[in-house]
Amino acid sequence: MTTTTEAGGRAERWREREDEDALFRQLRLTVRQGLEAGGDTPAASWEALTQVGAWEFALPIGTDGLDLGQAVLAMVCEEAGNAMQPVPLTDTLLALDLLAGLGPAAPEAADALLDRVRAGEHPLAVPGRLPDPRGTVPPGVTWKPDGGTGGIVLTGTGGPFAAGVGAGSLLVLASGPDGPCVALVDLPAAGVEVRPLRDHGGGAVSGAVFDDARLPAEAVLLRGLAAEQALARVGLRAAVHQASLLAGITAAALTAVVSRIRGRQQFGQALVKHQAPRLRVAGLLARLDAVRWAVDDAARDLDKDRLTVGEAAGLIALTAETSLDVTRDAVHLHGASGLVRDGLVAGCYRRAAWEALRCGRPAHLWDTAAHTV
């Protein structure tokens, strides 16, 4: 395998795919340049994603979107992860997916909401975990009917979620007596508190607390069997998007490592000249390469409607474990400087620590992969 350390000034091979066609490669370059040129803060990163049309990529043509497919969305998630700005990208993609799939059942305000999202004015966040590849609603928030009004009452806690830009609405996934429920909560709302969590260097993070929050019937998007079916569909996509985001965070950590071993001197020469750190970094790059190929193949299978629940569960479990292992080793390779709170590699490790669990714990996901066709 050729690494950056061996290739001198050549491009970073672990961030490229040689089999990408020219149009896809140009689209990746456009997204990357947009994030690099104008994404030095979470707000600027969100604006950059809006400017390149990321929200149109996700929406079907029937809702004035471009419907470019899951491989393109996975690429956007990877590049956003590499930019290391804490924006609710995968959350918003999940919400757009659900809203676009409602059809005639969509609330009257759905079109106006989609317009605000497209304009970059209304980020959507999912407090807590995303649905797993089977579409199972995570624990934490429960719902019950609110009398005969058609509304619901939410109770519980959800978090963490990226909060570099303030969410305009929360997409709440709750479990209840009649199965799962999906509700859209416009902020601010009575009985709903968004609490900033301690930032350990990975970027702004928040959680949400629901204290008998009463939502009207029009805020409830799906419940029962309809919610189960919709979450099973978007759960597969959420796994691929989250895996792509984690691959990008891992790539950002390795970029910092390569720069470190090139610039750090030991025994009169750069660390890159020493065999031990050089081989260790090569091993980390190989693991990232394997994950990126797996994510790309899964995204293309998803576009062809042949990705199974077991495959998606195995993908996110593999990516989560790889991200945690590689970012931890990146901290070690930095030595004491890797522990600096505001350092990039420390931020990657701390962000990966909670992003890696958003689709479920790897051990549980491996079990799902082993027992699901």
Side-chain angles (χ1 to χ4, degrees):
M1 185 191 71
T2 302
T3 69
T4 305
T5 60
E6 296 167 334
R10 290 166 55 185
E12 296 170 342
R13 295 290 298 279
W14 66 90
R15 292 175 59 187
E16 306 295 345
R17 278 291 299 268
E18 293 180 353
D19 64 337
E20 289 177 353
D21 60 47
L23 182 59
F24 192 96
R25 187 182 294 274
Q26 183 58 48
L27 188 58
R28 179 188 288 277
L29 183 61
T30 300
V31 173
R32 183 181 299 171
Q33 288 178 337
L35 289 168
E36 290 177 348
D40 55 343
T41 65
S45 181
W46 190 261
E47 178 63 23
L49 289 169
T50 302
Q51 290 297 322
V52 300
W55 319 125
E56 278 82 2
F57 296 171
L59 290 170
I61 295 174
T63 55
D64 298 326
L66 297 176
D67 196 13
L68 295 186
Q70 298 305 312
V72 170
L73 295 181
M75 175 272 291
V76 172
C77 290
E78 182 184 344
E79 294 299 329
N82 189 65
M84 271 301 291
Q85 295 296 337
V87 296
L89 172 60
T90 54
D91 304 46
T92 298
L93 292 178
L94 174 66
L96 291 177
D97 201 351
L98 278 169
L99 287 168
L102 290 177
E108 294 181 3
D111 288 341
L113 174 61
L114 292 178
D115 288 340
R116 293 198 302 274
V117 174
R118 273 194 288 260
E121 301 169 356
H122 201 92
L124 300 166
V126 179
R129 279 171 34 191
L130 305 174
D132 70 14
R134 295 177 300 179
T136 304
V137 172
V141 182
T142 59
W143 71 276
K144 61 182 179 181
D146 186 14
T149 65
I152 61 172
V153 179
L154 295 177
T155 306
T157 302
F161 60 89
V165 292
S169 298
L170 299 178
L171 184 76
V172 183
L173 310 179
S175 56
D178 298 322
C181 176
V182 181
L184 196 63
V185 181
D186 293 331
L187 297 175
V192 181
E193 181 184 1
V194 176
R195 293 180 179 176
L197 303 178
R198 186 175 180 182
D199 174 13
H200 291 284
V205 184
S206 291
V209 178
F210 302 91
D211 185 10
D212 288 335
R214 298 182 180 275
L215 303 184
E218 55 267 24
V220 181
L221 301 181
L222 295 160
R223 70 172 81 182
L225 181 59
E228 289 180 6
Q229 294 172 340
L231 290 172
R233 176 177 60 85
V234 301
L236 289 174
R237 302 183 183 191
V240 173
H241 298 165
Q242 191 66 14
S244 303
L245 182 77
L246 286 167
I249 293 171
T250 307
L254 286 177
T255 299
V257 167
V258 170
S259 177
R260 173 73 175 178
I261 67 172
R262 281 177 170 175
R264 181 74 172 176
Q265 295 285 320
Q266 191 174 63
F267 303 119
Q269 58 182 349
L271 276 176
V272 71
K273 300 295 184 180
H274 295 274
Q275 187 178 46
R278 184 172 182 165
L279 291 178
R280 189 173 179 185
V281 170
L284 298 180
L285 294 176
R287 292 190 67 181
L288 177 57
D289 266 340
V291 162
R292 292 188 69 241
W293 280 77
V295 170
D296 186 77
D297 289 343
R300 297 181 189 279
D301 283 347
L302 193 55
D303 279 329
K304 297 175 182 178
D305 198 26
R306 63 187 188 193
L307 183 70
T308 67
V309 170
E311 291 168 343
L315 172 73
I316 187 63
L318 171 67
T319 308
E321 289 183 346
T322 301
S323 182
L324 292 170
D325 291 346
V326 172
T327 53
R328 181 180 61 245
D329 280 0
V331 172
H332 292 166
L333 283 162
H334 268 66
S337 65
L339 303 176
V340 176
R341 178 180 178 276
D342 294 328
L344 174 60
V345 70
C348 291
Y349 173 67
R350 288 167 176 146
R351 175 117 181 251
W354 63 269
E355 291 278 16
L357 302 179
R358 289 206 77 196
C359 288
R361 295 186 177 277
H364 176 70
L365 291 165
W366 281 126
D367 185 68
T368 300
H371 296 91
T372 307
V373 178

